[in-house]
Amino acid sequence: MTPDQLIFDYIYQISLNSGYTTYDHLPLENENAPYPFVLIGSVQTLPVVTKNAVQGQIVANVDVWGDGESRFEVSQMMNDIFIQCMQPVRLGDTFVRLRIDQYENQIIQDTSVPNTVLNHGMMTLVFNLS
């Protein structure tokens, strides 16, 4: 399995194990997704090729969506996933470690759905591969 898929699956499993409703796509209207939920979004590989190995970084974007009443819960869910990702782990043949100094997060109010206010948490997690 590729390192980006290993990271995707790792974060997805962390979210599920935490009891969060988790998707690999933005839920469709007919899926009736309950708020709050986690979306494991894009994953980008930034390889660095050395003489003996391929190393580098994997950048994963994770979104937490909540209704207008759940800003605190969105924040807690984001923090929980971040804390769990801080643990260095071996995924397959790859050792990964979160770059805490490159962690970014923000929560915005989203009003793109008519007559609805949503809380949209966005995290960027950067992992070193070795």
Side-chain angles (χ1 to χ4, degrees), residues 73-99:
E73 195 170 3
V74 167
S75 179
Q76 281 195 306
M77 291 168 69
M78 290 171 61
N79 188 64
D80 183 41
I81 292 169
F82 169 66
I83 295 294
Q84 292 185 63
C85 286
M86 286 176 38
Q87 302 303 315
V89 65
R90 182 178 270 311
L91 300 174
D93 294 333
T94 306
F95 183 74
V96 298
R97 182 176 54 246
L98 183 67
R99 290 289 311 262

Side-chain angles (χ1 to χ4, degrees), residues 22-64:
T22 306
Y23 294 92
D24 62 358
H25 63 281
L26 199 54
L28 302 173
E29 187 176 338
N30 65 357
E31 291 180 275
N32 296 320
Y35 290 110
F37 64 83
V38 176
L39 167 65
I40 312 301
S42 65
V43 179
Q44 177 183 12
T45 304
L46 305 171
V48 174
V49 179
T50 66
K51 191 174 186 177
N52 299 320
V54 175
Q55 298 176 338
Q57 296 181 330
I58 303 286
V59 180
N61 293 300
V62 179
D63 296 290
V64 179

